[in-house]
Amino acid sequence: MTSDTVSAAAAGTWLLGDLKVNRLGLGAMRLTGSAAFHQGTPSDRGRAIGVLRRAVELGINHIDTADFYFSRLRSANELINSALAPYPDDLVIATKVGPARDASGEWTTPARPDQLRGQVEANLRQLGRDHLDVVNLRLMGQDSVSEHLGALAELRDAGLVRHLGLSNARPEHLAEALTIAPVVCVQNRYGLDAADGAPMLHACAARGIAFVPFFSIAGEGREAGAVRAEHDEVRAVARAHGVSPAQVRLAWILRQGAHVLAIPGTGNPDHLVDNVAAGALRLTEDDLTLLGAAGRTAR
């Protein structure tokens, strides 16, 4: 497969509410610099904008972002706005609210329910939109979602938000949320190195809700990126198919269910093409058995 034939459409599609997206999308966190958030070196603005435009050319129509994705010089939302507005009709932009960072990038007290409107409006301003396609409530340790999700449901009823989701949630959070408002997706950490997220994977499947794993490539590296030595099993499958280990990890994620969406993040144009190509990689049952062994050794 060449870069001219790579397409996110090869991964198949899913409906986020009434919005059809290709199952392989893009996470915006790494557009702002060499490391997540305010760490590392700020990105080259032209390169980041080029990655976003190339992503759309490759068929990506689902971008995950947040107004707290910024470095010393770059804001993910501003980059998305500059690169892609006026937005393609089929582009779905999902964002998150709940956490908050000050101007220096340090985490502050998470938003109260009455502060969520301000966070939604900040995303609207930065993205240059009159509504947000999907807003995920990013939980920060709370046991109940009722007040926060209730506040977001009011913003949905007011037309500022189209669909709601959860992030960093437990199955009991999802069950509670569904008594308050429809939920179209759940974003949780999950991958070969984080299979403890399987209960939410299955809970979403049972309800026809999209499951959107993050850190699927980074694994235990999380915000720091893929810093660990790769598992021998992953490398073996990659060699057998003539692809990168990252593609194997993404293909494994996509095989976990038709409701699973991948949102690998990158600010590197070559990595972008490599990630999108994973949508066409078809793992065999033998591959899955071998990769399952890698997942068990990671626990």
Side-chain angles (χ1 to χ4, degrees), residues 28-50:
M29 184 175 68
R30 297 195 178 280
L31 290 172
T32 63
S34 61
F37 307 122
H38 62 297
Q39 304 297 326
T41 304
S43 63
D44 177 83
R45 177 179 170 78
R47 188 188 201 207
I49 286 176

Side-chain angles (χ1 to χ4, degrees), residues 1 26 33 48 61 149 151 153 155 182 207 212 215 219 226 231 277:
M1 180 176 291
L26 174 69
N61 57 6
L149 197 70
L155 298 180
R207 295 168 171 82
V212 189
F215 299 147
H231 296 297

Side-chain angles (χ1 to χ4, degrees), residues 2 20 44 49 54 72 77 115 123 214 228 252 297:
T2 68
K20 182 185 287 190
D44 177 83
I49 286 176
R54 182 63 173 141
R72 294 191 300 276
N77 282 352
Q115 294 175 316
N123 279 281
F214 52 80
R228 77 236 166 303
W252 183 88
T297 61

Side-chain angles (χ1 to χ4, degrees), residues 9 20 65 78 82 86 101 149 156 190 194 198 229 234 251 261 282:
K20 182 185 287 190
T65 187
E78 187 277 326
S82 296
R101 296 167 63 210
L149 197 70
R156 184 202 59 186
Y190 184 69
V234 176
L261 312 182
R282 301 295 181 252

Side-chain angles (χ1 to χ4, degrees), residues 81-112:
N81 188 349
S82 296
L84 302 178
Y87 297 106
D89 291 340
D90 67 338
L91 180 63
V92 174
I93 300 177
T95 190
K96 288 172 288 298
V97 296
R101 296 167 63 210
D102 62 25
S104 68
E106 297 302 319
W107 294 107
T108 64
T109 303
R112 303 185 307 269

Side-chain angles (χ1 to χ4, degrees), residues 189-197 213-217 219 249 252-253 295:
R189 188 170 74 95
Y190 184 69
L192 276 171
D193 302 303
D196 55 345
F214 52 80
F215 299 147
S216 297
I217 297 175
R249 285 177 169 270
W252 183 88
I253 281 290

Side-chain angles (χ1 to χ4, degrees), residues 46-96:
R47 188 188 201 207
I49 286 176
V51 165
L52 285 160
R53 291 175 176 167
R54 182 63 173 141
V56 171
E57 290 174 355
L58 292 172
I60 287 177
N61 57 6
H62 173 211
I63 296 177
D64 174 73
T65 187
D67 77 323
F68 51 83
Y69 286 176
F70 62 84
S71 67
R72 294 191 300 276
L73 297 178
R74 303 281 176 258
S75 155
N77 282 352
E78 187 277 326
L79 289 167
I80 292 167
N81 188 349
S82 296
L84 302 178
Y87 297 106
D89 291 340
D90 67 338
L91 180 63
V92 174
I93 300 177
T95 190
K96 288 172 288 298

